[in-house]
Amino acid sequence: MSRIAYILLCHKDPDAIIRQAERLTATGDFMSIHFDARAPREDYEKIRAALDGNPAITFARKRIKCGWGEWSLVQATLHAVEAAVEDFPRATHFYMLSGDCMPIKTAEFAHDFLDATDADYIESFDFFESDWIKTGLKGERLIYRHFFNERNSKWLFYTSYEWQKRLGLTRAIPEDLQIMIGSQWWCLRRRTIEQVLDFCRARPDVMRFFRTTWIPDETFFQTLVRHLVPRQEIRTRTLTFLMFSDYGMPVTFYNDHYDLLLSQDFLFARKISPEAQELKRRLGALYSATGVSFQLSNEGRSLYKFLTGRGRIGQRFAPRFWEKEATLGRDRELMIVTCKKWHVAKRLLHEVRQRTNLPAIEYLFHEQSTPLPDLGGIQATLEKRTRHRRALMRMLFDYYQTDRLIICLDPADLDLMHDFYGDRSRTRMLEIQCQFSDEYLLGHAHRVGLAGEHTPPEVEARLLPTIRNDVIFESDRIRDAEFPHLYRMRETNSPEQNAVPLAAFLSIPHDQAREIAQTPYLFSD
């Protein structure tokens, strides 16, 4: 059976560290602790006094001062790993933790999980080809030497960097290494850890290289493991559940996140709020429990994105420079059909095309697969379509040689609606309001990743009102925008009633609109 040696890097809250160490070693596992040398000496002595008598706990032989983005974080990890390898010969796996991590599964589950697959768990993406780095320095992290901390010595950091650029003082990456990048929270097998330590002793050139790279905790182990271990024995993922906000800050979990955390396909979670004492108590009790089964739905990230996004709705500050003077054309008419049930809008557009010969394009800003003509590449991706929306629409008007064009938009895209209504062309919109059953909303939640196959019914029940209110909110926002020439069809209306707004929207005779409104199964799911 697997035995885990937890590698704990920490710098504060000695009482929480003591509880964490006692909890994780009570079920037969081990722990090696590096406590930051920047922290108060009395905090470290308190931890040693409480834990020195526990044979399952050891400490890094040397404490060093750690700084974000520095080599010191890797060096501290190596010190703790070396102590664990030496003191715990029965440890089969080594798992990186911070003081903000808590288990979200039982020890029994964690051991069974690791026993099931002979593999290392570490994020390991190609440094240059992946988009793991979203902003800031990328290749410059490696080819220049970084002697100063960007957070504590910003002027020195960037002055040193700029002088190296001016003087052309670049350096080569070790030829035999493919630099990889990923999260620092890994779980590695014993033989992998031993290979890494042997490599560190045998390759001082590689150690010198990484000592002056920027943020090496995201590249050092990730690169060495991929260099030393066959690809098929690596699972490119972390076993610690963590999320980041749009601003690059780690998402913090609180007392009401207990059910969400347990349903994620991970063994630990980071980062738990210091104030979430009830969550810590429940997770701590869970770890030592036996016979617990978990329903894994894994919808945490998509659910977080959905819920936080609802509070960030607004318009951008100014037009994009390539659209500032762009217009679809003063004599052109853009007709927008907006409906949350995309299949209803698509059925309507199919009938409109058949009966009016008007060119009509489905959800071109939402579905990559929407059929579009070749417009020189501007239509190639959703990102390009949205970024160059007015240019795209002008080209579509020109391609179809028409002054009237219908498109579909999702009701959530209020910014697109505002943008098109702000153009000098004539714009009108038809909103199709549908009825939403609980079954349909649950299906929608599954389709967009807000729920999974094993999401507990009680979680789905709590999610349903939020999704339903969100659909209503989107319709209210359209109404509050007071767009001119806005017409509404409703599922609850008769075809005769719906023919009136449809005729006005399309500028067609009432009889022709009634034929379209009578489309069989128009509102069926």
Side-chain angles (χ1 to χ4, degrees), residues 330-398:
R330 193 180 299 276
D331 297 325
R332 285 171 168 170
E333 185 174 43
L334 177 65
M335 294 176 284
I336 300 171
V337 174
T338 182
C339 182
K340 198 64 181 178
K341 290 186 177 181
W342 292 4
H343 60 278
V344 174
K346 290 178 181 180
R347 287 176 191 152
L348 182 73
L349 256 63
H350 176 75
E351 290 300 315
V352 170
R353 281 192 292 258
Q354 297 296 315
R355 298 179 183 274
T356 67
N357 290 322
L358 282 172
I361 305 173
E362 296 169 359
Y363 289 85
L364 73 166
F365 295 108
H366 310 89
E367 289 187 306
Q368 180 68 39
S369 59
T370 300
L372 290 172
D374 185 354
L375 301 174
I378 195 174
Q379 83 294 341
T381 66
L382 291 177
E383 182 183 7
K384 283 187 176 181
R385 298 176 197 174
T386 304
R387 185 189 308 146
H388 305 292
R389 66 194 78 173
R390 293 197 188 184
L392 173 67
M393 297 310 302
R394 283 201 314 275
M395 295 172 77
L396 287 171
F397 273 107
D398 292 339

Side-chain angles (χ1 to χ4, degrees), residues 173-214:
I173 296 169
E175 291 184 0
D176 59 331
L177 293 184
Q178 178 186 8
I179 304 299
M180 310 299 287
I181 192 167
S183 167
Q184 70 182 104
W185 311 110
W186 40 254
C187 178
L188 303 177
R189 296 166 297 174
R190 184 181 193 90
R191 64 175 177 269
T192 300
I193 285 290
E194 291 173 343
Q195 285 180 281
V196 168
L197 295 178
D198 289 342
F199 184 91
C200 292
R201 289 186 284 266
R203 293 292 301 271
D205 60 316
V206 173
M207 301 298 281
R208 284 194 300 271
F209 172 78
F210 277 107
R211 281 193 183 99
T212 51
T213 59
W214 180 232

Side-chain angles (χ1 to χ4, degrees), residues 93-330:
H93 293 77
F94 295 76
Y95 195 123
M96 269 288 293
L97 289 177
S98 76
D100 296 321
C101 295
M102 287 288 293
I104 56 175
K105 298 291 184 294
T106 61
E108 181 181 65
F109 182 98
H111 293 147
D112 290 343
F113 181 92
L114 295 176
D115 286 337
T117 306
D118 185 21
D120 296 307
Y121 295 87
I122 181 170
E123 285 190 345
S124 185
F125 304 100
D126 187 278
F127 185 93
F128 294 100
E129 297 299 327
S130 72
D131 63 347
W132 205 85
I133 298 174
K134 303 297 184 184
T135 59
L137 303 182
K138 188 169 184 178
E140 296 85 354
R141 293 189 184 190
L142 307 176
I143 64 173
Y144 296 109
R145 296 167 178 84
H146 302 280
F147 303 101
F148 306 101
N149 188 293
E150 193 268 348
R151 290 191 173 182
N152 300 333
S153 307
K154 194 176 292 290
W155 184 85
L156 288 172
F157 180 92
Y158 286 107
T159 299
S160 170
Y161 164 61
E162 289 297 334
W163 273 107
Q164 290 182 73
K165 284 178 62 178
R166 291 182 187 181
L167 298 174
L169 299 178
T170 59
R171 60 175 176 176
I173 296 169
E175 291 184 0
D176 59 331
L177 293 184
Q178 178 186 8
I179 304 299
M180 310 299 287
I181 192 167
S183 167
Q184 70 182 104
W185 311 110
W186 40 254
C187 178
L188 303 177
R189 296 166 297 174
R190 184 181 193 90
R191 64 175 177 269
T192 300
I193 285 290
E194 291 173 343
Q195 285 180 281
V196 168
L197 295 178
D198 289 342
F199 184 91
C200 292
R201 289 186 284 266
R203 293 292 301 271
D205 60 316
V206 173
M207 301 298 281
R208 284 194 300 271
F209 172 78
F210 277 107
R211 281 193 183 99
T212 51
T213 59
W214 180 232
I215 320 182
D217 54 295
E218 294 180 350
T219 55
F220 180 78
F221 286 97
Q222 296 78 358
T223 299
L224 265 58
V225 170
R226 183 57 68 94
H227 180 72
L228 297 168
V229 177
R231 183 185 299 268
Q232 63 270 22
E233 295 181 20
I234 299 174
R235 301 296 180 267
T236 306
R237 58 161 296 189
T238 174
L239 297 181
T240 298
F241 180 59
L242 65 160
M243 297 190 294
F244 291 91
S245 71
D246 293 343
Y247 308 103
M249 300 300 293
V251 173
T252 301
F253 298 108
Y254 295 92
N255 289 334
D256 58 347
H257 287 124
Y258 180 80
D259 291 330
L260 180 143
L261 291 176
L262 263 60
S263 65
Q264 306 312 305
D265 185 20
F266 296 86
L267 304 184
F268 281 76
R270 181 181 190 276
K271 87 190 236 178
I272 308 298
S273 169
E275 288 78 36
Q277 295 301 319
E278 177 62 14
L279 176 61
K280 290 185 175 182
R281 184 194 65 78
R282 296 179 71 184
L283 292 176
L286 172 73
Y287 187 70
S288 58
T290 58
V292 180
S293 61
F294 297 90
Q295 295 293 323
L296 304 180
S297 53
N298 222 32
E299 76 284 359
R301 288 192 173 96
S302 55
L303 187 59
Y304 170 79
K305 183 178 180 181
F306 167 70
L307 293 175
T308 53
R310 297 176 73 245
R312 297 177 184 159
I313 296 168
Q315 298 179 54
R316 62 175 189 263
F317 293 105
R320 293 168 171 84
F321 71 89
W322 57 78
E323 294 176 343
K324 191 171 182 181
E325 301 300 329
T327 179
L328 306 188
R330 193 180 299 276

